[in-house]
Amino acid sequence: MKSRMVVDMTTPIGTLDKRCYGQFIEHLGECIYGGVWVGRDSKIPNINGYRLDVLKAIKDLNPPLVRWPGGNFASGYHWEDGIGPVDHRPRRFDMAWRAEEPNLFGTDEFIEWCKLIGAEPFIVVNAGNGTPEEAARWVEYCNLNWSTYYASLRRKYGHEEPFNVRLWGIGNELYGEWQVGFCKDGAECARRTSEFANEMRKVDPNIELVAVGHETDPEWNIEVVKGAGKYFNYLSVHYYVYPKDKPYKELVAIPIYIGQMLRNVYGLVEDTRRKYGIKHEIKIAFDEWNVWYPEAREPMLTQITSVKDAVLTAGILNMLQRLCNIVPISNFAQTVNVLPLIIAASDGSMVLTPQYFVFKMYGNNKGDIVLRTLVDTDYYMSTDAGGYVPYLDASATVSKDGETVYLYVLNRSEDDEVELQVDFKGFTPKSGIQQFFAGESVEDRNALEEPERIKIEQTQVKAIDGKVNIILKPHSVNVMKFHC
């Protein structure tokens, strides 16, 4: 199969918000306890309780943003249970997952973990059975530098300087009956959102707020924007892919549907806010997404994903780059042990999934401006995507100084290599580097007994007369870096 691609530097799409590569951790299964946190007395190597191999693996992703503490867990979490001396913290019943919450990992531990991995914190407040006053106190504890009670409490517990948490979510999936304190409709959610936002912003007027949206319910979104749009900056959308018995071609086409869904939600939000006189733009926070296989059952939600899931993941990241003007925030659910990028076993062993390698390649090769890419390739028909799907999917970014271009190309074909010629408009590349992985089949995966079956490979790419010719393996994810 032969294909051609043009990378156009003369008419960029927009600025890339690095938060689109965000991660998500929740008090669920062994994501926090056993994954992120093992405690200072654990036999598993750790630094102040943080599991060392997991910490290093996540730091290698270069994650820009982490969402916490949930998820469903957030709707019943009372943050004051998780601060202060560990031996004084109460052990609570977690109504979201019917589990015991020891509160060993709370706000201070989360902020410290974000510092260790170099990520921005994104905190979701309890808008289920919590109160606006409780949320405002959390903002005070994290952000205020005054001599007031909760700011002083932070200092008492060893943190002189404010945490300066910029991004806050008001609740999680409040439309669902599975949620503690769910709302009966969008109007109720709007009322609750405005009450929380009002008190939280009185403490810190500079925070950004994410309200609960819905991926398929336009009436919910209209009511939330109509009633509370002037109080928040982003509308949250979640989407999980359930791939049971889904053919490979259909699975890897789903990013096309997701992209259209996100554009539709944004268009509805734009129409609604203009109709009701809301002056500021409201963008989309795609703050939970992943594949979810039948074997990932409560309470552990463990699964081991394969190359085909990595191709899907790369397609979603490419789509998010192209939607940089409307979807600046995204959070993969979840980083460790629960629907994971990283599988961290209780015996101290660890496995990195093919999805992990997607985030590692993208997270360490990202420019500042998203470029237009034009791809001439073969197509196949997909029911899920609602039309024809190109075998190649591509995105590109460039550094602010215009000196470095990054290409992100996935080959959706299950069986065929692609001979790709890349032409550059407004940029003359020197020879570059290609990172890629594919595996022998789309079902290939890493496992505890074979942890390095899939790994990133690297090769040099020559540029001749400003053009690049490369071979893309079947079902492969490829990232290239060129200097001019």
Side-chain angles (χ1 to χ4, degrees), residues 42-326:
S42 174
K43 294 180 180 179
I44 297 174
N46 68 87
I47 177 170
N48 293 326
Y50 302 95
R51 183 166 170 161
L52 199 56
D53 55 353
V54 170
L55 175 64
K56 183 181 183 304
I58 297 174
K59 193 171 182 178
D60 286 347
L61 294 177
N62 196 20
L65 180 72
V66 179
R67 181 175 181 255
W68 171 87
N72 294 356
F73 177 80
S75 292
Y77 178 62
H78 299 284
W79 69 272
E80 290 186 57
D81 289 341
I83 60 172
V86 171
D87 55 355
H88 291 170
R89 297 181 189 179
R91 195 173 190 92
R92 299 291 192 192
F93 176 71
D94 166 23
M95 288 190 286
W97 302 110
R98 292 189 56 78
E100 291 186 20
E101 172 52 49
N103 283 305
L104 302 176
F105 187 96
T107 303
D108 296 350
E109 289 78 17
F110 172 64
I111 296 296
E112 181 61 26
W113 189 70
C114 286
K115 290 178 180 178
L116 288 170
I117 64 174
E120 176 187 346
F122 171 10
I123 293 179
V124 181
V125 304
N126 179 355
N129 66 6
T131 66
E133 183 180 25
E134 179 184 28
R137 288 171 173 172
W138 204 354
V139 176
E140 179 190 337
Y141 182 86
C142 289
N143 290 7
L144 236 58
N145 199 22
W146 293 20
S147 299
T148 50
Y149 179 79
Y150 287 97
S152 298
L153 201 59
R154 182 194 67 246
R155 295 189 194 91
K156 176 182 177 181
Y157 295 149
H159 305 278
E160 183 66 30
E161 297 300 319
F163 299 146
N164 293 320
V165 178
R166 172 189 176 195
L167 189 63
W168 297 78
I170 301 177
N172 175 81
E173 295 180 4
L174 292 170
Y175 46 79
E177 293 185 5
W178 58 87
Q179 205 71 208
V180 175
F182 68 93
C183 297
K184 64 179 181 179
D185 54 31
E188 182 183 346
C189 182
R191 178 191 57 77
R192 199 176 300 182
T193 300
S194 60
E195 290 175 353
F196 272 75
N198 181 46
E199 294 201 25
M200 293 169 72
R201 280 223 174 98
K202 285 187 182 301
V203 177
D204 185 349
N206 298 315
I207 58 175
E208 292 189 317
L209 297 176
V210 181
V212 173
H214 196 290
E215 71 274 16
T216 58
D217 187 345
E219 292 183 3
W220 174 280
N221 293 336
I222 289 170
E223 290 293 338
V224 171
V225 174
K226 174 185 174 182
K230 68 178 182 179
Y231 297 102
F232 63 85
N233 307 90
Y234 307 94
L235 190 71
S236 168
V237 174
H238 295 174
Y239 192 87
Y240 289 93
V241 178
Y242 299 95
K244 182 183 179 182
D245 301 327
K246 191 176 289 293
Y248 167 78
K249 283 186 175 181
E250 294 294 331
L251 177 67
V252 297
I254 288 175
I256 296 175
Y257 165 78
I258 295 175
Q260 188 57 56
M261 178 268 292
L262 292 172
R263 284 190 290 269
N264 290 344
V265 173
Y266 175 77
L268 180 68
V269 169
E270 277 290 278
D271 289 344
T272 305
R273 70 144 182 114
R274 287 172 176 162
K275 179 178 179 180
Y276 293 101
I278 299 164
K279 296 181 180 179
H280 68 272
E281 184 180 17
I282 298 172
K283 296 187 178 184
I284 304 302
F286 189 40
D287 54 12
E288 276 191 43
W289 64 271
N290 195 1
V291 296
W292 193 325
Y293 283 90
E295 63 264 29
R297 299 187 181 94
E298 296 178 24
M300 305 307 288
L301 271 71
T302 55
Q303 63 183 22
I304 302 178
T305 53
S306 63
V307 167
K308 63 185 179 185
D309 306 299
V311 175
L312 165 74
T313 301
I316 291 175
L317 292 185
N318 282 359
M319 174 269 297
L320 290 171
Q321 289 182 347
R322 294 190 294 264
L323 294 183
C324 61
N325 294 321
I326 66 174

